[in-house]
Amino acid sequence: MVWLISIAYTQLYAQTPDPGRNGNFSVSSDEYDFGNEWYSHSVQTADNRTLKAEAKAKIYYPTTLSTGAHSIIFIMHGRHPVCYDASNPELFVGQGWPCEANQIEIPSYRGYDYLGEHLASHGYLVVSIGVNGANNIDDLISGAGGMAARATILQHHINFWKDWNANGGGPFGTRFRGKLDVNNIGVIGHSRGGEGVALHSVVGSQDVKAVLTLAPTSLFFVPGLFPKKSIPYCNITGYCDGDLSDQQGVSYYDSRRYDGSVTAPSHSVLLTGANHNYFNTLWTTFPAFAFDDWGDLQGKTDSYCSTEVSSNRRFTATKQRNAAKTYIGAFFRRYLGNETQFDPILQADDTTPPRSSGLRSNEAFVSYHPVSNKRVEINRYDETRSTSSTTNTLGGQVNQSLLTTNTICEDISCVSGILRRQMPHETYQLNVGWGGRSNRTWYENKIPAANKNFSSYENIMFRAAVNFKDSSPNRAMNFYVELVDSRGNSDKELVSTHSQALYFPPGGTGATGSAKIMHNTVKIPLSSFNSTLDLTNITSVRFVFDFNSNGNIFITDLMLSDDATSTAKDIVIAESLEVIKAYPNPTNGILNFNFSDQKHQKVLYSITDMQGRKMIPLTKLREGERSISLESYPSGIYILKLQIDDRTTTDLIIKED
């Protein structure tokens, strides 16, 4: 199958330092276990059962600890069978917890040894926590109750380590006292654990500084609410994920892009041959319920993802974990360790996968969305544009020549007969098609005079994907990005010189196939364009479709960026921008407000439940009022919206009995 761009690909950047190589610290490990029913969730199920959960974890840490130097990374596994029959490992025994006498626990929290050991070798304390008790009952709790349980369990473990760092005691005595940086925490969540850590970032500890979701669910996701807007975020997804074949986690990245209150960058990594289970070693090889989720759940005939087909391009379990280790290491070392040398990997500059990942250049695609003060949006292609928009986000004119398709559409409505799993992005995008090979076939964004100076930016970038339904089968697309200045000078760069994002989606294109339309970032340095071009006076950005004789692609997020100048200060400014705090969270009923700016004369608030029902309509706080009561409302998760002068903030509030 020919699905890659057929012309030579040129690497523009020297390979950055390899984040997948082990560090210089020798690593030790240990466990703690406070019992299988240590935690009791306040919410009961419809059949009056109460969630009981364990407090246990496996830890990985530098054998030699330095005072106050070691940030903490917590890992939360996802939903998986929790027990198996000792006499028959293949006998499914349900989700009961704790395990019965003749059953053995499946300790999913031990399935990330490779990741814990790698991060610890670079100086981090890694804590992989057990949440089998939450797995037991989360589907039976209404709304997002199961995710709230996960968030609360994670917070308990964070509190353990804050206490042990301050006072010692617990299972480790003085081993870790004074050794940890408890104000610099990262979290990783796999599958439902991803949704759990995303929710926790909003309702939990303010010391979480980086959130990574690994093939996450978005079962109860409310766009724009989490992960927390002031925290750098990364999502990693597998193209051959058989459990979540619709790649639900892309919704977290997509929803953050144009939320004006997001003050931290967003990243996404697509691993083309990765499935769901192989990120956890126990879900890969454990005596019970270890399996290849693509083959077992999606069939064994897909040309790309099915290992039974000789032409498949699936990753081995080892290769998948090496890839995860590499990109996860880059993310946390960047945002917890401030190791800015990994920016080229995370910001889609260096598109060659690090050597330790074992990946080819067409097996990992990074998307990146800079913070608002590091970009200027030429055309978002969002819901503010009409389906046949003739103006862009800057207010400039939009023109086209000889295109067969030129519309702005939303998610699966863009293509007739397509399934959600074939187009995971629930976003607006430009759908552009052409039927002839000519330099007179183009799409153009005019640049208003106020925005014509491109010289203070470093890149022009966008996300793009090939529409496999309306393009020639198994044929990659290519086109030119052309800049035109006020004197009529122009220069153009071929997309494939900078990215392989325009691959034809591999795999079967039918209802059971793996082919899917996934947006990936194309980033072109402005320095690549001819020096005779006047970057201080650019009048248009044009896409010229004269490379392929025909094709159909999707484009979104067209912008300029100067992200290479980002500093740690840019990333942590969010807390100073948050003008109001709501506490305690979780709350038993009374919710207090702490105004950081006493000059505000008008504060409006509303409370909505997770089903969208307005519990408290938009209401003005009375003069001197600093709290509201939720005592009459049932336990659960609520959306708090606060409007202060011309600013609006939104948060999730957990109400407990």
Side-chain angles (χ1 to χ4, degrees):
M1 178 184 298
V2 181
W3 66 277
L4 299 177
I5 291 176
S6 57
I7 69 170
Y9 175 77
T10 303
Q11 181 179 329
L12 294 177
Y13 295 85
Q15 182 66 59
T16 54
D18 191 337
R21 293 176 179 170
N22 285 337
N24 297 324
F25 289 90
S26 61
V27 176
S28 296
S29 63
D30 208 334
E31 294 198 22
Y32 59 91
D33 185 349
F34 300 146
N36 287 329
E37 297 183 285
W38 182 87
Y39 165 70
S40 177
H41 195 277
S42 61
V43 179
Q44 290 188 319
T45 66
D47 57 357
N48 296 319
R49 284 192 288 169
T50 300
L51 184 150
K52 301 285 188 180
E54 71 273 40
K56 63 176 64 173
K58 185 169 184 179
I59 67 170
Y60 315 82
Y61 59 95
T63 304
T64 302
L65 295 161
S66 305
T67 301
H70 305 282
S71 300
I72 313 175
I73 299 172
F74 291 87
I75 304 174
M76 180 183 291
H77 66 81
R79 195 168 196 262
H80 193 72
V82 301
C83 307
Y84 70 97
D85 190 289
S87 61
N88 185 358
E90 298 303 316
L91 177 65
F92 186 75
V93 295
Q95 294 289 105
W97 183 260
C99 298
E100 297 178 4
N102 64 331
Q103 298 172 358
I104 299 174
E105 178 188 357
I106 301 176
S108 291
Y109 67 96
R110 294 176 182 165
Y112 306 97
D113 285 350
Y114 70 98
L115 191 53
E117 291 166 0
H118 173 69
L119 293 168
S121 77
H122 288 283
Y124 297 92
L125 169 70
V126 182
V127 183
S128 183
I129 67 175
V131 287
N132 274 342
N135 284 343
N136 168 45
I137 207 168
D138 63 351
D139 272 350
L140 302 176
I141 301 177
S142 63
M147 300 310 164
R150 284 177 168 79
T152 304
I153 291 169
L154 173 58
Q155 187 59 49
H156 283 307
H157 286 271
I158 291 175
N159 293 341
F160 292 158
W161 286 97
K162 285 179 175 287
D163 182 46
W164 296 337
N165 179 68
N167 305 309
F172 306 114
T174 60
R175 189 189 314 175
F176 296 99
R177 188 171 66 189
K179 305 296 185 182
L180 307 175
D181 183 355
V182 296
N183 300 312
N184 199 38
I185 292 172
V187 293
I188 302 170
H190 182 194
S191 194
R192 292 199 186 194
E195 196 164 359
V197 301
L199 174 59
H200 175 271
S201 71
V202 177
V203 302
S205 174
Q206 299 299 307
D207 299 310
V208 171
K209 305 301 182 186
V211 175
L212 185 142
T213 55
L214 189 61
T217 61
S218 61
L219 300 174
F220 306 104
F221 173 62
V222 179
L225 286 182
F226 55 92
K228 190 175 181 180
K229 300 165 186 178
S230 61
I231 300 178
Y233 169 66
C234 181
N235 178 62
I236 297 179
T237 191
Y239 189 93
C240 296
D241 189 324
D243 192 2
L244 299 174
S245 61
D246 57 356
Q247 278 72 33
Q248 296 177 11
V250 300
S251 59
Y252 294 105
Y253 176 96
D254 287 344
S255 71
R256 287 168 59 98
R257 293 172 301 147
Y258 298 114
D259 184 329
S261 61
V262 172
T263 55
S266 303
H267 309 269
S268 184
V269 182
L270 173 65
L271 301 176
T272 61
N275 73 350
H276 191 82
N277 280 358
Y278 288 178
F279 291 119
N280 186 304
T281 60
L282 271 69
W283 299 2
T284 308
T285 60
F286 196 69
F289 306 111
F291 60 97
D292 170 15
D293 50 274
W294 180 271
D296 283 24
L297 300 177
Q298 301 300 333
K300 304 180 185 300
T301 60
D302 184 72
S303 59
Y304 190 81
C305 290
S306 298
T307 57
E308 290 81 358
V309 179
S310 60
S311 62
N312 80 85
R313 294 294 299 276
R314 278 288 304 283
F315 296 171
T316 64
T318 297
K319 183 174 180 177
Q320 180 166 327
R321 290 193 280 271
N322 284 340
K325 184 171 62 175
T326 298
Y327 287 97
I328 291 172
F331 178 72
F332 285 107
R333 290 175 65 186
R334 170 61 181 91
Y335 291 113
L336 295 185
N338 199 31
E339 296 185 57
T340 56
Q341 69 266 31
F342 299 120
D343 277 344
I345 295 173
L346 297 170
Q347 296 177 0
D349 295 302
D350 189 348
T351 57
T352 301
R355 183 180 298 273
S356 64
S357 70
L359 301 177
R360 302 177 186 181
S361 60
N362 61 347
E363 293 180 324
F365 293 92
V366 175
S367 290
Y368 167 60
H369 205 80
V371 295
S372 59
N373 65 334
K374 297 298 179 184
R375 68 178 192 259
V376 60
E377 299 147 11
I378 298 173
N379 208 332
R380 293 182 180 182
Y381 303 107
D382 61 7
E383 64 271 22
T384 65
R385 312 263 76 78
S386 66
T387 57
S388 58
S389 180
T390 57
T391 58
N392 56 39
T393 305
L394 292 175
Q397 187 174 351
V398 174
N399 304 311
Q400 64 92 22
S401 174
L402 303 180
L403 294 177
T404 58
T405 305
N406 174 26
T407 61
I408 295 175
C409 54
E410 184 182 12
D411 57 57
I412 61 175
S413 68
C414 295
V415 183
S416 176
I418 203 166
L419 304 174
R420 166 58 60 207
R421 60 179 286 173
Q422 296 175 313
M423 182 177 274
H425 299 279
E426 299 182 53
T427 58
Y428 286 83
Q429 55 207 315
L430 170 69
N431 183 10
V432 60
W434 64 100
R437 183 173 177 176
S438 168
N439 62 6
R440 293 181 295 110
T441 305
W442 45 258
Y443 173 90
E444 178 183 57
N445 278 278
K446 285 288 189 180
I447 307 300
N451 306 103
K452 66 183 180 180
N453 187 355
F454 283 22
S455 64
S456 60
Y457 292 89
E458 298 185 48
N459 313 286
I460 187 166
M461 56 190 288
F462 52 90
R463 289 197 299 164
V466 171
N467 176 4
F468 66 84
K469 288 282 191 179
D470 296 323
S471 295
S472 299
N474 304 324
R475 187 180 185 185
M477 294 291 103
N478 214 351
F479 63 90
Y480 288 95
V481 176
E482 183 178 39
L483 301 183
V484 182
D485 68 21
S486 61
R487 296 174 296 182
N489 297 323
S490 66
D491 192 34
K492 57 187 181 181
E493 283 287 307
L494 194 62
V495 168
S496 63
T497 305
H498 303 273
S499 171
Q500 297 194 68
L502 294 178
Y503 60 82
F504 188 90
T509 58
T512 61
S514 64
K516 51 182 59 69
I517 297 169
M518 298 286 291
H519 284 293
N520 297 295
T521 290
V522 175
K523 190 175 189 182
I524 303 176
L526 291 173
S527 60
S528 302
F529 292 89
N530 195 303
S531 59
T532 61
L533 194 66
D534 183 4
L535 290 177
T536 68
N537 206 346
I538 298 298
T539 58
S540 73
V541 175
R542 184 176 289 179
F543 299 149
V544 182
F545 303 103
D546 64 349
F547 193 89
N548 301 97
S549 58
N550 60 77
N552 189 282
I553 60 175
F554 295 104
I555 294 173
T556 190
D557 303 342
L558 177 61
M559 68 179 76
L560 301 171
S561 73
D562 65 346
D563 45 82
T565 61
S566 296
T567 66
K569 182 179 179 180
D570 296 318
I571 295 162
V572 298
I573 60 173
E575 295 306 324
S576 65
L577 297 179
E578 291 182 358
V579 297
I580 195 167
K581 302 283 187 184
Y583 67 96
N585 191 12
T587 178
N588 290 324
I590 301 300
L591 193 64
N592 301 303
F593 298 137
N594 176 27
F595 297 162
S596 58
D597 185 348
Q598 297 299 328
K599 295 181 180 179
H600 293 300
Q601 300 297 315
K602 182 179 180 181
V603 178
L604 302 174
Y605 68 93
S606 66
I607 298 287
T608 307
D609 69 10
M610 297 296 282
Q611 285 72 46
R613 294 172 297 195
K614 190 76 70 175
M615 313 303 288
I616 301 178
L618 197 63
T619 304
K620 182 180 179 181
L621 276 180
R622 297 186 299 272
E623 184 176 355
E625 188 176 19
R626 288 294 183 269
S627 65
I628 61 174
S629 175
L630 303 181
E631 291 177 306
S632 62
Y633 298 105
S635 299
I637 301 178
Y638 296 91
I639 302 167
L640 168 67
K641 182 177 181 180
L642 290 160
Q643 183 176 311
I644 309 163
D645 294 340
D646 60 346
R647 286 172 285 187
T648 300
T649 63
T650 306
D651 263 324
L652 295 183
I653 303 297
I654 295 178
K655 164 64 166 49
E656 295 183 336
D657 288 333

